[in-house]
Amino acid sequence: MTANEFFRKLMSGKFWANIGAMLIVVVLLCLGVKFGLDLYTHHGEEIVVPDVKHKVFSDAEQLLSNRGLDIQVVDTGYVKTLPPDCVLDQMLAPGSKVKRGRVVYVVINSTHSPMLTLPDIIDNNSYREARANLIAMGFKVGPPQYVSGEKDWVYGVVCHGQNLRNGQKVSIEDVLTIQVGDGVMNMDDDIIYTDPEYMPNDGDSTATHTDGGVIEGEGGHDDFEVVNGPE
C-alpha cells in the first residue's frame, strides 16, 4: 500500500464511522457496568434500621421486611417479665444506616427458664464451699436449714419441699435450701445393739461366755447343795 492510498483510507468517512461506532460501544459498556453495579450493590441507598427490641418476633420480622431488611435469630435468653419470643437485643443498633437486604441478628426471649445441673455437693462439701459453688453457677440460694450432723457439712439440698440429688436439673428461678449439719449428733446414731456372744461346748448344752463365765442348761450340773430348813 502506497502512502497516498493510506492517507486516502484514513480520511475516508467509512473509517471514522467505524471508529465512532466502536467508541460508542465502549462508552455504553462502561455505563452499563457502572449502573449495573450500582443497582446490584444498592450504591448510595441508605435504610435506617428500626428499633425492634421488646417486640414479638413476628412483628419485628414484618417491620424489617417492609424496609427491605432480613432478620435472623442467633441466640436466646430469658427475662421473666417479658413474653416468650420477645426480642431481647439486636446486633445492629437502631438508627444505623445500611443497604437493602442487610440481615439484622437478634436475641429472643426463651419460652421457659434455663435449667442448670446440680453439682456434686451433697455429702461432699462444706456449707461455705457448696454455697459459693452454687451462686457462681447461677443458682439462687436461700437461708440454710440446719439438721442433726457434723457441723457445717452439707447433708442435702431441698427445693419446693423436695429433696434433690446430685446431677438433677433445676430451674435458675428456683430457690435452693441447703441442709447443713448443726454440730449436734443424734445419740441414737451412736448406739450399737449386739447379741451376747457365747461358745457352746461339744457334747452338752453348757455354754461358755467369751469372758470365761459358765451358763448352765439342761443336762449340766452345779455344785449347789439342797439345805433343808427347820421343820
Side-chain angles (χ1 to χ4, degrees), residues 87-155:
V87 177
L88 299 179
D89 196 13
Q90 61 185 90
M91 302 298 106
L92 282 175
S96 301
K97 294 181 179 180
V98 297
K99 296 179 181 180
R100 182 181 300 275
R102 184 71 178 271
V103 178
V104 179
Y105 298 99
V106 297
V107 178
I108 64 171
N109 199 28
S110 176
T111 56
H112 58 275
S113 62
M115 305 292 285
L116 298 176
T117 302
L118 187 69
D120 186 13
I121 61 172
I122 299 175
D123 203 23
N124 195 38
N125 283 105
S126 67
Y127 170 67
R128 182 177 180 180
E129 293 172 338
R131 185 175 187 276
N133 191 11
L134 290 175
I135 292 176
M137 292 180 63
F139 287 98
K140 294 182 179 180
V141 182
Q145 177 186 356
Y146 290 96
V147 297
S148 176
E150 182 180 345
K151 185 174 178 60
D152 292 334
W153 189 250
V154 175
Y155 286 94

Side-chain angles (χ1 to χ4, degrees), residues 174-188:
D174 293 335
V175 179
L176 304 183
T177 300
I178 303 176
Q179 293 180 321
V180 187
D182 57 6
V184 179
M185 300 296 293
N186 188 342
M187 297 304 297
D188 293 338

Side-chain angles (χ1 to χ4, degrees), residues 140-143 158-160 170-177:
K140 294 182 179 180
V141 182
V158 179
C159 180
H160 298 303
V170 184
S171 170
I172 61 171
E173 294 299 316
D174 293 335
V175 179
L176 304 183
T177 300

Side-chain angles (χ1 to χ4, degrees), residues 26-39:
V26 171
V27 171
L28 290 176
L29 285 174
C30 291
L31 291 175
V33 171
K34 180 181 183 301
F35 286 110
L37 288 175
D38 289 345
L39 182 64

Side-chain angles (χ1 to χ4, degrees), residues 75 212 225 229:
D75 201 359
E225 295 182 359

